[in-house]
Amino acid sequence: MKIIIAGMGKIGSAIAESLVTEGHDLVAIDTNPEMLVRISEELDISSVAGSCTNSSVLEEAEVAESDLLIAVTANDEVNLLCCLIAKKMGVGSTICRVRDPEYTSTIDTIRGDMGLSMVVNPEREAAAEISRIIENPFAQNVESFMNGRAKLMSFEVSSGSPLEGVTVAQMFSKIKAPVLVCAVERDQQAHIPFGSFQFASGDVVTVICRAGGFVPFLSALGLVSSKIKDVIVVGGGTTAYYLADMLLDRKTNVSIIEKDAARAQEMALKLPKADVINADGTDYNLLMEEGIDTADALCCLTGIDEENVLTTLFAKTNCPGIKTITKINRSDIERTARPFDLGSVISLRSITANLVLQYVRAMQNSIGSNVITLHRICQGKVEALEFKVNPGSRVTGIPLEKLPIRDDILIACINRDERVFMPRGNDTIEEGDTVIIVTTVSGLNELDDIRSDS
Amino acid sequence: MNKRMIVYITGILMIIEAILMLPSAVISLMESDGLIMGFAKAIGLTAGAGALCAYLSRPKNTTIYAREGLVTVSVGWIVLSLMGALPFWFTRQIPRYVDAFFETASGFTTTGASILTNVEALSRSVLFWRSFTHWIGGMGVLVFIMAVVPLAAGGGNIHLMKAESPGFEASKLVPRTGSTAKILYLIYLGMTVTLVILLRAGGMDLFSALCLSFGTAGTGGFGVLNDSIGSYSNYCKIVITVFMTLFGVNFSFYYLLLKGRVRDALRNEEVRWYLIIYTAFSLIITFSIIGRYSSFGGALLDSFFQVSSVMTTTGYSTANFDLWPELSKSLMVLAMCIGACAGSTGGGFKVSRVIVLFKYACVTVQDALFPNRVHRVKLNGRNIDDPLLRSIGGYFALYVLILLLSVVVISADGYDFTTNVTAVVATLNNIGPGLNAVGAAGNYSGYGAFSKLVLCFDMIAGRLELLPMMVLFSRRIWK
């Protein structure tokens, strides 16, 4: 597809990177020509320097012939205006980033009038993700499939865990919980494990199971989740606001530490139930004073990645057992910090890129692909995709043990008539099912592509 | 520096070159000229060396940056010329290797300067290879490979394309480098086929039509007869004149035309100036040479043909312009230096650079007159920013420097000043014929081996727009 991206900031370039590997033709628009040249050379895409609300700039980007425009500049109003103009000039669909909480309540009412196909709010998505993680404190990432009927969860095998030294085949008899191991990340390598694969401590294991299947599974592993009651949030940005709003709804105590006095006042006004502390959250004495040693979870959400990492490390060393969530936006910092035990890491970049990618794949749906949901796991090295099985598919009606399936593919879950099950060798895929596939191949568009002879 | 990747791409380049030699070998078989063993050896050696390079340095990391792009292109083109000389040498049609190398470098760089005194004595298979090198070199070999397979990871390809394609604004027609390369080659192929058909329609035999089309499309200039184009019909001369001019136009112009964006295409300032300079020079020369012709038409045809030939840096000739009046000769040398449009198959300094430098000169005068007023240089309605101005100024400095140094070095062979200067001008700008001893009726065989190598360097440097060859002199590249 022909896609225009307006705004080549961190999020814009992350979206561009994932779309270009999917084989789309991209045109980038930004007001900073030097950066634009660098990025467009790095990614092999076209670029137009100028303002994305200028119709002649959009015309030069061939907006009328494009299928999609993604407006992700730093400014909500510019994004909305850009989408409106592009729509008038004849672009197929528009995706708009709107992150100001002031707009989020009203955006749904004007969405139709503006002709927006999708509104992304990276900060709110990140907050929702963090809130999910807090709900399942031992799980690193929890994703939903099949309208929430199936869940994907990652956890780390700690030393002394009952899983240590156990093979995938033995796991089922040892822990009587219906889960399926999808992927294991070991030494930064992603594996799709088979029966003989042996777990070791330090592995990050991703499993899939029916909704509600986690609790028995986690308790069988000795990971009994105690309820999270007190959360400390460092940094009072937009993400922190959305997160506090969600947590307070669940009757969790939230303390927000914000350095800027005016911003702290604003937060206190908007979130009357939260404790807003106007102080430097990277001051360790202050953190101790605010009771970090008795808190259940710490979320480092300041705008500076390095501060977030260091604050998390401080908490990890001084308060054993605390759940930490660290926001890291730059992918190079994330890579460098990976050897450290940071707990869960959240990146607005990859969350947004995933969302947009999901939408773009769904758009292609009408042209022949059938991806309903897509999640990336193991730092993006493994993809879990939900497919709809269409009439005429070449994988239906054949027992899975007889179906020639590629080595790098795992059929994780089948959803038939509102019932979710993990398939065995004699099960078949039928028309009308939805199927979850786990794979190390990127850009799978067709369910038929899982056949080794396709 | 990702050296493995450089060697790997060079290896692929040699394999492709061996494949491109096959048509000439087929002609050799069809003609049974007894040269097939020479071709077989050349193809075998090139393919073998290429496969060895590509195999031994299979890269794990295919990321390349601007630096690797520049070195790959210059090393690639030198190797291309070294290997391309083998068919001439192994078939003993050109007995000295340095001469064969000169002829090949001249072919690939679409110069068309020759060391041969009697072209007609060459066998047709070798003549075909000689002309075919023009066609390959015209659009570039790496661009060709990129149209088929992506060589480097992600954005690496654009560095290769930038280093190989002429012009300071390496603009992609479509978002992907590979697709851009494909579109460029399709336009190139389409125009070449049209030319072959038109020449055939004029009664030319297929072999000559192919060879001359290769020479015209690549703006090279190797012919198949000793008097170049002089003895063909007026129809053929007119067709070649028109097509030489067309191949000197920026290819993005044709892309816009094909997409129906005629108004955008016509807005191109470079194409406009290119045609204005071309017409003005041709008319002035027509009037200055008219006394030597019996009819106005004859003078008009010869002058339009010759100006097109040197301005697009092709180098075909219908008349020996060495015998023309001084004014005409000066204009011809000036046209040589201006050259064709950026993004065409032609060489030279490029019309767009001349326009920018000219405007810059005007701005300098304005600045002196009105020191507080803001003056900007614009091209196609766009502001030319200072880094770009600086790079064009630097390019001009390099150009002059290489020109002067080369003239001094080759003067050692004892030719007169005009011969030496025009020899360097004609090779650095990829034209072919110069004046006096290297004029339309002469050739480069008289120069010594070292001078020939210097001229080879000039040709490759000129074709790649100087920078890729100049970086080879940086000590840090070799570390």
Side-chain angles (χ1 to χ4, degrees):
Chain A
M1 287 201 296
K2 246 194 121 231
I3 300 174
I4 300 177
I5 301 182
M8 271 285 130
K10 287 196 209 97
I11 288 187
S13 46
I15 293 174
E17 204 177 326
S18 64
L19 289 179
V20 87
T21 42
E22 294 260 308
H24 298 288
D25 285 341
L26 299 187
V27 181
I29 303 180
D30 201 287
T31 44
N32 179 347
E34 284 91 35
M35 192 206 31
L36 203 54
V37 166
R38 194 173 47 75
I39 290 182
S40 62
E41 278 182 6
E42 209 172 287
L43 299 177
D44 194 7
I45 59 179
S46 288
S47 60
V48 182
S51 161
C52 63
T53 51
N54 181 336
S55 64
S56 66
V57 168
L58 288 172
E59 198 175 341
E60 203 182 328
E62 300 183 330
V63 70
E65 292 143 60
S66 301
D67 303 291
L68 176 66
L69 177 131
I70 303 169
V72 281
T73 68
N75 190 321
D76 287 350
E77 292 82 358
V78 168
N79 293 341
L80 286 166
L81 190 57
C82 170
C83 287
L84 195 63
I85 297 171
K87 197 72 198 174
K88 281 272 176 289
M89 292 176 73
V91 76
S93 312
T94 51
I95 295 180
C96 186
R97 167 161 105 168
V98 179
R99 54 179 170 182
D100 191 334
E102 303 281 345
Y103 288 134
T104 45
S105 49
T106 48
I107 198 75
D108 285 330
T109 54
I110 56 167
R111 211 178 113 180
D113 298 326
M114 306 271 302
L116 298 176
S117 318
M118 180 187 179
V119 174
V120 284
N121 187 337
E123 281 77 9
R124 192 167 59 173
E125 294 298 336
E129 176 81 16
I130 296 170
S131 132
R132 269 199 296 271
I133 293 168
I134 287 179
E135 212 179 344
N136 291 286
F138 290 102
Q140 289 190 348
N141 298 293
V142 180
E143 319 268 11
S144 296
F145 279 111
M146 299 170 171
N147 297 325
R149 271 191 282 276
K151 298 237 174 187
L152 202 62
M153 179 194 73
S154 308
F155 64 94
E156 194 182 318
V157 179
S158 51
S159 62
S161 157
L163 274 188
E164 210 180 347
V166 171
T167 66
V168 172
Q170 290 162 347
M171 185 188 90
F172 190 69
S173 55
K174 197 161 178 185
I175 298 157
K176 301 221 169 0
V179 299
L180 184 85
V181 181
C182 295
V184 177
E185 194 185 6
R186 179 181 291 172
D187 304 332
Q188 313 210 8
Q189 288 272 325
H191 306 271
I192 291 190
F194 293 96
S196 54
F197 189 92
Q198 202 171 29
F199 294 111
S201 72
D203 286 358
V204 176
V205 180
T206 304
V207 296
I208 195 163
C209 76
R210 261 176 292 195
F214 282 139
V215 181
F217 176 68
L218 287 175
S219 33
L221 289 180
L223 302 172
V224 187
S225 52
S226 58
K227 182 131 173 51
I228 299 275
K229 290 195 239 31
D230 297 301
V231 178
I232 295 182
V233 179
V234 179
T238 317
T239 315
Y241 167 77
Y242 285 123
L243 175 67
D245 200 35
M246 290 170 194
L247 291 178
L248 289 169
D249 260 2
R250 290 212 309 260
K251 309 270 182 268
T252 312
N253 300 324
V254 182
S255 309
I256 302 171
I257 306 176
E258 167 60 42
K259 197 160 39 172
D260 181 65
R263 179 70 193 163
Q265 293 284 346
E266 198 186 334
M267 290 292 270
L269 211 61
K270 283 181 179 167
L271 301 162
K273 285 187 203 154
D275 292 329
V276 181
I277 299 142
N278 179 15
D280 185 357
T282 52
D283 178 347
Y284 301 146
N285 284 330
L286 178 105
L287 285 174
M288 294 307 276
E289 192 184 324
E290 291 304 328
I292 191 175
D293 45 345
T294 56
D296 301 307
L298 171 77
C299 304
C300 297
L301 308 178
T302 71
I304 302 163
D305 291 347
E306 294 87 335
E307 284 189 358
N308 292 342
V309 171
L310 289 175
T311 311
T312 299
L313 288 178
F314 166 76
K316 278 278 180 193
T317 37
N318 291 296
C319 320
I322 195 169
K323 175 87 185 165
T324 55
I325 292 130
T326 316
K327 186 177 93 167
I328 303 185
N329 268 338
R330 283 174 50 190
S331 54
D332 36 2
I333 291 196
E334 203 250 292
R335 268 200 299 276
T336 317
R338 208 171 292 161
F340 300 105
D341 174 25
L342 292 180
S344 296
V345 171
I346 282 287
S347 144
L348 260 62
R349 277 167 58 98
S350 56
I351 287 177
T352 319
N354 268 348
L355 271 175
V356 171
L357 195 61
Q358 219 166 308
Y359 180 83
V360 170
R361 287 195 178 175
M363 251 183 98
Q364 271 186 319
N365 220 346
S366 49
I367 324 169
S369 133
N370 295 302
V371 182
I372 302 172
T373 324
L374 160 81
H375 290 300
R376 289 189 169 167
I377 45 185
C378 297
Q379 334 282 354
K381 289 190 220 83
V382 175
E383 288 188 354
L385 307 107
E386 183 182 352
F387 282 99
K388 190 166 175 3
V389 184
N390 282 350
S393 169
R394 291 171 60 226
V395 295
T396 50
I398 308 167
L400 294 183
E401 58 195 356
K402 297 224 177 76
L403 190 68
I405 299 175
R406 290 166 53 161
D407 290 342
D408 42 18
I409 275 176
L410 178 82
I411 300 177
C413 241
I414 298 181
N415 174 21
R416 183 175 302 156
D417 307 328
E418 312 293 302
R419 199 174 62 85
V420 175
F421 63 95
M422 277 145 218
R424 295 171 180 266
N426 51 4
D427 284 325
T428 57
I429 297 174
E430 297 298 339
E431 196 184 309
D433 291 354
T434 62
V435 180
I436 297 175
I437 302 294
V438 178
T439 175
T440 47
V441 195
S442 176
L444 208 63
N445 273 326
E446 271 305 325
L447 187 55
D448 287 1
D449 292 345
I450 66 169
R451 286 181 68 120
S452 53
D453 55 356
S454 66
Chain B
M1 283 274 286
N2 191 343
K3 285 192 180 142
R4 291 180 77 93
M5 195 62 191
I6 296 172
V7 178
Y8 174 76
I9 297 179
T10 311
I12 302 273
L13 207 61
M14 282 192 264
I15 296 174
I16 299 278
E17 187 179 18
I19 295 170
L20 292 171
M21 285 177 190
L22 288 175
S24 315
V26 171
I27 292 179
S28 168
L29 273 179
M30 277 162 38
E31 301 257 318
S32 352
D33 53 10
L35 301 178
I36 186 62
M37 279 319 290
F39 275 108
K41 268 196 274 182
I43 292 173
L45 196 66
T46 311
L52 201 69
C53 285
Y55 178 77
L56 287 181
S57 62
R58 280 157 303 164
K60 285 179 215 77
N61 169 16
T62 60
T63 313
I64 57 170
Y65 301 98
R67 208 175 341 147
E68 280 91 347
L70 291 170
V71 177
T72 308
V73 168
S74 51
V75 169
W77 275 70
I78 294 171
V79 169
L80 203 65
S81 304
L82 287 172
M83 289 306 192
L86 296 178
F88 296 117
W89 194 45
F90 283 147
T91 56
R92 316 304 301 159
Q93 298 271 311
I94 299 180
R96 286 176 61 206
Y97 183 77
V98 61
D99 287 346
F101 177 66
F102 183 92
E103 200 77 4
T104 320
S106 163
F108 279 124
T109 60
T110 73
T111 306
S114 182
I115 44 78
L116 294 166
T117 44
N118 185 4
V119 176
E120 286 159 40
L122 252 57
S123 124
R124 279 154 77 98
S125 53
V126 172
L127 272 181
F128 185 85
W129 172 241
R130 184 169 171 257
S131 289
F132 196 43
T133 53
H134 278 333
W135 199 78
I136 301 169
M139 193 52 82
V141 206
L142 287 158
V143 174
F144 175 71
I145 300 176
M146 264 182 287
V148 191
V149 282
L151 283 174
N157 288 312
I158 185 69
H159 296 308
L160 292 174
M161 183 149 168
K162 261 192 173 173
E164 199 181 35
S165 318
F168 56 85
E169 291 178 297
S171 57
K172 290 189 281 183
L173 305 173
V174 291
R176 272 163 207 279
T177 314
S179 321
T180 303
K182 223 170 277 172
I183 292 171
L184 287 177
Y185 253 94
L186 283 178
I187 297 175
Y188 189 45
L189 189 68
M191 286 172 65
T192 312
V193 170
T194 317
L195 176 57
V196 174
I197 294 170
L198 285 176
L199 288 178
R200 286 282 289 152
M204 196 185 283
D205 62 296
L206 181 63
F207 177 77
S208 310
L210 279 174
C211 287
L212 292 186
S213 297
F214 293 153
T216 310
T219 66
F222 281 151
V224 290
L225 299 178
N226 282 344
D227 66 348
S228 189
I229 308 294
S231 51
Y232 293 100
S233 69
N234 277 350
Y235 166 81
C236 291
K237 286 182 191 170
I238 293 171
V239 168
I240 292 177
T241 309
V242 170
F243 271 85
M244 284 194 296
T245 315
L246 289 181
F247 278 110
V249 171
N250 193 329
F251 272 46
S252 64
F253 179 78
Y254 299 120
Y255 176 70
L256 290 176
L257 283 189
L258 284 175
K259 288 203 72 180
R261 288 163 60 182
V262 181
R263 280 201 18 227
D264 288 343
L266 293 180
R267 225 180 284 158
N268 189 319
E269 210 174 323
E270 183 181 25
V271 176
R272 239 172 19 220
W273 277 108
Y274 165 71
L275 293 175
I276 291 172
I277 296 172
Y278 169 50
T279 319
F281 278 32
S282 302
L283 288 176
I284 297 173
I285 290 176
T286 309
F287 288 109
S288 102
I289 60 171
I290 193 141
R292 297 159 192 259
Y293 285 81
S294 52
S295 71
F296 177 71
L300 198 68
L301 179 59
D302 269 355
S303 91
F304 268 87
F305 186 98
Q306 270 334 133
V307 175
S308 175
S309 169
V310 296
M311 193 164 165
T312 63
T313 72
T314 309
Y316 280 142
S317 49
T318 53
N320 188 353
F321 56 80
D322 222 4
L323 307 172
W324 286 358
E326 286 305 321
L327 172 68
S328 304
K329 283 202 269 187
S330 308
L331 280 178
M332 292 291 274
V333 174
L334 189 58
M336 288 181 185
C337 292
I338 294 173
C341 295
S344 72
T345 60
F349 194 70
K350 302 288 159 5
V351 178
S352 53
R353 285 204 185 91
V354 175
I355 300 173
V356 172
L357 279 186
F358 182 76
K359 288 184 175 174
Y360 188 46
C362 293
V363 162
T364 314
V365 175
Q366 292 283 317
D367 274 343
L369 275 177
F370 309 103
N372 298 322
R373 217 176 269 181
V374 179
H375 301 104
R376 301 292 332 174
V377 179
K378 281 185 167 184
L379 184 69
N380 291 328
R382 268 164 199 273
N383 183 31
I384 300 283
D385 54 8
D386 288 340
L388 193 55
L389 270 182
R390 206 180 68 168
S391 83
I392 294 174
Y395 185 84
F396 182 66
L398 262 181
Y399 181 85
V400 173
L401 201 70
I402 296 177
L403 194 118
L404 295 181
L405 276 177
S406 304
V407 170
V408 171
V409 173
I410 67 166
S411 297
D413 284 354
Y415 281 100
D416 62 287
F417 186 67
T418 310
T419 304
N420 290 333
V421 170
T422 56
V424 173
V425 166
T427 46
L428 188 59
N429 293 314
N430 303 139
I431 294 145
L435 294 172
N436 285 1
V438 294
N443 61 61
Y444 290 77
S445 57
Y447 277 107
F450 184 70
S451 294
K452 279 177 187 160
L453 288 178
V454 170
L455 292 175
C456 284
F457 174 86
D458 286 352
M459 289 192 273
I460 299 180
R463 168 62 182 80
L464 301 178
E465 304 226 303
L466 314 184
L467 283 181
M469 287 302 269
M470 296 320 285
V471 298
L472 292 185
F473 291 104
S474 161
R475 214 183 307 151
R476 296 192 44 193
I477 290 292
W478 298 101
K479 267 186 192 159

